[in-house]
Amino acid sequence: MTSAAYTSGSVSVSAGARGGAPAADKGVGPLLRGWREQRRVSQLELALRAGSSARHISFIETGRSRPSEEMVLRLAEHLDVPVRDRNSLLLAAGYAPHYPETPLDDPALDALREGVERLIQGYEPYPALVVDATYNVVAANRGILMLLGSVPEHLLEPPLNAMRLTLHPEGLAPRIRNLREWRGHLLAQMERDIALRRSQPLRALYEEVAAYPAPPAPPSAAPGSPAGDAVPDEEPSEPVPYFALPMLIEHDGRMLSFISSISTFNTPMDVTVAELAIETLLPADPATVKYLHALMS
């Protein structure tokens, strides 16, 4: 994806280039074998899924047989290979890429951008943002801007990165009251993404943010409470039965609670679109709902 920038609401951010596809000069056979082994699928199981034979799969992997373009795409689909890497497999097999990679500011994606912007703006006053495959922020609403109010300028320079903003010791991390748990959740999410995409830029980002100072073990808290050191609300409230791990973050002396939800596009036909994800932060308690509505009114 080439460099692009556009504005969502009052937040202007950029989408940077990213990569990480396996090198095409290895040949399609070893690349397919690598994906199959990573997915822990036998040659026989893959053959049954793809309507082929274990012998043919073996011949493809060893280079004794050149797969057709259709076969490459079929095997990639059954191995859940990301769209970007399907193009790499096709190139390694001697075929042209099947999936375009349209710059995000291209007129062809006007409808996509406008739809995503309407979606995240309609989610206000709750925070929502759109990230690419390496968690660079490509769009965000005013709810996100509110959370970033105290973040220093050097962390807000493009390309904004959601993981860096959240876990950097000068970013949101000092205000996240259950940072130890939330950090573990984010690092585990990145590990799953790395296993799926085999992306070197994503691996580099993971190594960077994992090296940030880890928070100390929290003091003992009441059972079921994820934040024993949380800033209390101005109004006392009953304990909240969280249905998922919340991010508990302090904002202007108030403790806000959010549950994260991530959405992607079904059956994307473009590399850029395939690598976009919409993250929404759902208020996890009535006090957070009340506070955000009052703040944004």
Side-chain angles (χ1 to χ4, degrees):
M1 180 176 179
T2 57
S3 177
Y6 71 96
T7 300
S8 174
S10 59
V11 184
S12 180
V13 293
S14 66
R18 59 201 179 277
D25 58 3
K26 290 183 178 179
V28 69
L31 292 178
L32 282 170
R33 182 174 65 246
W35 284 109
R36 180 180 60 76
E37 291 174 348
Q38 183 172 317
R39 298 294 188 254
R40 299 182 179 181
V41 176
S42 69
Q43 289 181 342
L44 177 58
E45 184 179 355
L46 178 58
L48 291 173
R49 292 181 185 179
S52 184
S53 67
R55 176 186 173 89
H56 186 43
I57 299 300
S58 176
F59 277 21
I60 290 173
E61 291 185 354
T62 58
R64 295 179 65 184
S65 177
R66 178 174 181 254
S68 66
E69 181 179 7
E70 179 186 1
M71 177 59 75
V72 172
L73 290 171
R74 193 187 316 162
L75 294 176
E77 179 180 359
H78 288 293
L79 290 172
D80 196 24
V81 175
V83 169
R84 175 182 295 276
D85 298 290
R86 297 185 191 192
N87 279 345
S88 296
L89 289 172
L90 287 168
L91 285 169
Y95 302 110
H98 181 77
Y99 301 95
E101 186 176 0
T102 309
L104 198 54
D105 60 351
D106 191 287
L109 294 185
D110 282 351
L112 171 74
R113 290 196 312 275
E114 292 169 5
V116 166
E117 289 171 358
R118 283 197 301 270
L119 179 64
I120 63 175
Q121 289 172 13
Y123 196 67
E124 294 175 356
Y126 310 141
L129 71 163
V130 184
V131 298
D132 66 13
T134 51
Y135 294 96
N136 287 328
V137 180
V138 300
N141 69 3
R142 291 186 301 160
I144 292 293
L145 184 64
M146 175 269 297
L147 291 179
L148 299 180
S150 62
V151 173
E153 287 295 327
H154 72 90
L155 287 178
L156 297 177
E157 295 176 357
L160 257 61
N161 187 273
M163 289 296 180
R164 190 176 292 116
L165 284 168
T166 303
L167 297 179
H168 195 281
E170 296 181 55
L172 298 180
R175 292 164 41 208
I176 299 177
R177 299 308 176 186
N178 60 336
L179 179 58
R180 191 178 186 88
E181 291 176 290
W182 194 249
R183 176 179 183 272
H185 153 68
L186 293 182
L187 292 179
Q189 177 179 315
M190 293 183 74
E191 288 170 355
R192 290 192 296 270
D193 286 345
I194 290 169
L196 174 65
R197 297 175 179 148
R198 293 169 26 170
S199 165
Q200 289 304 318
L202 188 58
R203 167 61 68 179
L205 175 65
Y206 173 87
E207 292 175 353
E208 175 193 337
V209 299
Y212 293 159
S220 58
S225 172
D229 60 345
V231 176
D233 290 336
E234 293 177 359
E235 301 176 4
S237 59
E238 295 295 324
V240 176
Y242 294 112
F243 51 88
L245 177 68
M247 177 181 70
L248 303 175
I249 184 168
E250 183 269 334
H251 182 267
D252 287 346
R254 298 294 297 263
M255 201 265 286
L256 306 180
S257 178
F258 296 101
I259 301 295
S260 172
S261 174
I262 298 176
S263 303
T264 56
F265 291 92
N266 288 333
T267 320
M269 302 301 293
D270 187 284
V271 173
T272 299
V273 177
E275 295 181 342
L276 294 178
I278 303 169
E279 180 169 9
T280 53
L281 297 179
L282 175 70
D285 58 44
T288 299
V289 173
K290 181 179 178 181
Y291 178 75
L292 291 178
H293 278 278
L295 192 65
M296 294 288 188
S297 63

